[in-house]
Amino acid sequence: MGFPENFLWGGAMAANQCEGGIFEGGRGLANVDLCPSGSRRQEILRGHGKILQMEPGCHYPSAEAIDFYHHFREDIRLLGEMGFRVFRLSIAWTRIFPKGDEEKPNEEGLRFYDEIFEECKKYGIQPLVTISHFDCPVYLIEKYGGWRDRRMIDFYLRLCRVLFTRYQDKVTLWLTFNEINMILHAPFMGAGLCFREGENEELVKYQAAHHELVASALATKLAHEINPKNQVGCMFAAGSVYPFSCRPEDVWEALLKEQENYFFVDVQSRGYYPAYAKIRLQKRGIFPQMQTGDEEILKKYPVDFISFSYYNSRCVSAGTQEMAEGNLFQSAKNPFVNYSDWGWPIDPLGLRITLNQVYDRYQKPMFIVENGLGAEDIPEADGKIFDDYRIEYLREHIQEMKKAVEEDGVELMGYTSWAPIDLISAGTGEMKKRYGFIYVDKQEDGSGTRKRTRKKSFYWYQKVIETNGEEL
């Protein structure tokens, strides 16, 4: 049976990790520009160190990233050579509204994405656009405190209206917010939150999340009104949570983590706050303030499909265990899986488990929009890169994805690997943590020619797409 004929194979990148050119084209400064590499990065991501301007002595890797801003034609041509059917990319909010609250958009920024979409069309590549991939204009953080303020909804919807109108003949697949549950783990990156001394951080996070949830619902409404062909999805950081043992306490802890992970998607897909969330947030005194009509908005405008990132499963214990790394959150170290060079669990079967769990929960079409292996690629003397470890990782995950479609009956729209071209790591800000099928000659210290080189995985993925997943 295999994958459907119209299955969307491709790759995913984020503006703040690939574009660079942050002072070009009239672009304004965003939160994601101000996350330095090095020891302070995690503090900043979590909203505990307020930096709203570039400080001397800090390295800001997003400032240039891999310079997709000037290389996008070459890069999209390479994606076309691989046979991409879809390219997931994000819009840099501050290219369109440099401060975030302007009445009129920046035409130069709009033209930049016009050109990107035209290049995609040239190679038969359908764009899948993330409206906000952790972007929040710095001006809106300074003036309103980011998504803690309800007025952010209107600024976001102004952006959405411009995008849906301008690109209605070029884009019909949209994601409202990237990894919306990351607001709980990296709130400055996820929502532009800088915490004030003595305030209840959990309350602020859930209030900001509520504003994003309402914004997502209203964006879905707007997208359907402007172009009935539009399909709008939510996006969350997924990965099944295993109990460390069959101790009931471990199983319960795993259930709680699963619910935390699914909470925002429950709202975006089902249209209401689930009972478990209402009760627990109210008991802790952190249930968000709502305005009259919010619940009706959430109910009337759920998303059309569910998208998610999957890098690894998680493992939790009610007691103390050795910890493993993961996608911006740690978990107990699972002794039954392998680990990447960065300490992330490698669990292909976990992807099949996650697909089944998500589909059983929502019964909506799904899209895997991030999956990949971060590794340090060392070119040979002749410049070739033999990244067999990446091929093995992706092959094993696609095999499990295929079983979920063929044997389990899950409804899957497509798969975009993270990331087809080497770029800046969101979690660490590193360049040496590479994900791509295409090597970018840029090193940790910023040196390098920016030359693009096809890795061995480039040709492997090209064949995967050509055979619709039959040749792995």
Side-chain angles (χ1 to χ4, degrees):
M1 185 170 69
F3 293 103
E5 281 186 25
N6 61 349
F7 192 76
L8 294 173
W9 294 98
M13 302 191 339
N16 66 87
Q17 293 169 257
C18 71
E19 278 186 10
I22 67 170
F23 300 112
E24 299 186 55
R27 184 186 183 279
L29 205 60
N31 59 330
V32 284
D33 304 323
L34 298 175
C35 300
S37 58
S39 59
R40 292 190 65 193
R41 188 174 181 86
Q42 294 305 312
E43 172 194 8
I44 301 300
L45 294 181
R46 289 174 165 79
H48 293 141
K50 191 172 182 179
I51 298 182
L52 295 184
Q53 60 183 358
M54 291 187 164
E55 296 186 352
C58 287
H59 173 57
Y60 297 96
S62 291
E64 189 197 43
I66 59 163
D67 199 23
F68 180 76
Y69 187 73
H70 295 108
H71 288 261
F72 71 88
R73 287 188 174 85
E74 173 192 358
D75 290 342
I76 293 171
R77 177 177 56 77
L78 287 165
L79 304 184
E81 185 182 331
M82 264 191 287
F84 272 34
R85 300 175 185 176
V86 66
F87 174 36
R88 180 190 171 215
L89 68 153
S90 72
I91 300 285
W93 187 338
T94 52
R95 284 206 190 281
I96 312 304
F97 290 100
K99 290 167 63 179
D101 67 349
E102 296 94 340
E103 290 294 327
K104 292 185 178 180
N106 171 32
E107 177 61 27
E108 195 170 350
L110 288 169
R111 281 201 307 270
F112 172 66
Y113 293 105
D114 270 322
E115 292 177 13
I116 286 177
F117 298 142
E118 286 299 323
E119 286 299 307
C120 288
K121 185 178 180 181
K122 188 188 296 185
Y123 299 101
I125 300 171
Q126 183 174 356
L128 166 60
V129 173
T130 310
I131 299 165
S132 175
H133 196 122
F134 298 143
D135 288 70
C136 186
V138 165
Y139 179 80
L140 298 184
I141 299 172
E142 291 176 326
K143 190 169 182 180
Y144 302 99
W147 279 96
R148 69 170 68 225
D149 193 300
R150 190 178 177 93
R151 285 171 288 187
M152 288 290 293
I153 297 173
D154 291 333
F155 301 135
Y156 176 81
L157 291 176
R158 189 178 300 169
L159 171 68
C160 290
R161 182 176 292 278
V162 167
L163 300 183
F164 296 152
T165 304
R166 175 76 170 226
Y167 304 126
Q168 59 184 304
D169 297 327
K170 297 173 180 173
V171 183
T172 56
L173 291 175
W174 304 89
L175 303 178
T176 53
F177 291 94
N178 180 68
E179 292 186 334
I180 192 167
N181 51 327
M182 278 300 175
I183 199 170
L184 302 179
H185 306 280
F188 178 71
M189 186 167 73
L193 300 181
C194 298
F195 296 116
R196 300 158 187 164
E197 189 174 347
E199 74 178 342
N200 187 327
E201 295 183 8
E202 293 299 301
L203 176 60
V204 173
K205 286 192 281 191
Y206 281 101
Q207 186 65 59
H210 176 70
H211 294 153
E212 288 194 357
L213 292 169
V214 173
S216 177
L218 289 172
T220 304
K221 172 181 182 287
L222 193 60
H224 292 155
E225 288 172 351
I226 290 174
N227 183 0
K229 294 180 181 178
N230 277 335
Q231 295 182 71
V232 183
C234 60
M235 196 284 198
F236 75 113
S240 295
V241 182
Y242 305 150
F244 186 77
S245 75
C246 54
R247 261 199 329 153
E249 290 81 2
D250 285 358
V251 176
W252 178 247
E253 190 67 22
L255 181 94
L256 292 177
K257 287 295 183 187
E258 289 274 27
Q259 288 178 330
E260 178 189 280
N261 226 25
Y262 285 125
F263 168 29
F264 300 141
V265 186
D266 281 352
V267 180
Q268 290 176 292
S269 180
R270 293 171 169 172
Y272 56 88
Y273 274 62
Y276 68 80
K278 275 188 172 181
I279 292 170
R280 289 174 196 152
L281 295 182
Q282 285 167 350
K283 280 187 174 181
R284 291 162 59 192
I286 57 173
F287 192 80
Q289 287 186 343
M290 293 191 186
Q291 286 191 4
T292 303
D294 281 3
E295 289 181 303
E296 184 182 358
I297 289 168
L298 296 174
K299 189 69 178 174
K300 284 182 71 175
Y301 309 112
V303 292
D304 303 310
F305 65 95
I306 313 292
S307 79
F308 60 85
S309 59
Y310 177 88
Y311 294 97
N312 52 265
S313 58
R314 297 164 64 191
C315 185
V316 299
S317 168
T320 302
Q321 301 293 340
E322 183 183 358
M323 302 301 286
E325 295 300 322
N327 186 11
L328 286 177
F329 35 60
Q330 291 186 325
S331 63
K333 190 156 189 176
N334 186 340
F336 300 104
V337 300
N338 295 319
Y339 288 84
S340 76
D341 292 342
W342 268 261
W344 292 26
I346 297 176
D347 181 12
L349 180 56
L351 176 55
R352 182 179 183 182
I353 294 168
T354 299
L355 281 164
N356 274 273
Q357 288 179 331
V358 174
Y359 193 60
D360 287 350
R361 193 176 186 100
Y362 302 116
Q363 294 293 302
K364 285 190 174 182
M366 295 182 297
F367 208 132
I368 300 170
V369 293
E370 290 184 30
N371 172 239
L373 176 69
E376 190 168 0
D377 298 325
I378 309 297
E380 301 291 317
D382 60 2
K384 292 180 180 177
I385 298 107
F386 297 98
D387 55 340
D388 295 272
Y389 38 86
R390 181 167 294 110
I391 293 171
E392 180 183 7
Y393 174 96
L394 293 169
R395 176 190 291 123
E396 291 178 350
H397 282 77
I398 292 172
Q399 284 171 339
E400 295 300 331
M401 179 174 83
K402 191 175 182 182
K403 290 174 187 174
V405 172
E406 284 186 335
E407 300 175 26
D408 309 331
V410 305
E411 189 178 354
L412 193 59
M413 299 166 63
Y415 172 87
T416 56
S417 71
W418 186 270
I421 306 171
D422 292 345
L423 39 61
I424 300 296
S425 165
T428 65
E430 293 173 301
M431 188 67 217
K432 66 180 180 181
K433 187 183 182 187
R434 299 175 181 272
Y435 284 87
F437 305 119
I438 299 161
Y439 182 88
V440 178
D441 181 23
K442 181 178 180 181
Q443 309 311 316
E444 210 61 36
D445 61 1
S447 64
T449 63
R450 299 358 177 212
K451 179 184 176 184
R452 275 58 169 159
T453 302
R454 300 164 185 80
K455 304 178 191 178
K456 183 177 179 181
S457 58
F458 178 101
Y459 302 101
W460 172 82
Y461 196 53
Q462 184 182 56
K463 181 61 70 173
V464 171
I465 297 173
E466 182 186 332
T467 64
N468 200 25
E470 289 303 306
E471 279 193 40
L472 296 173

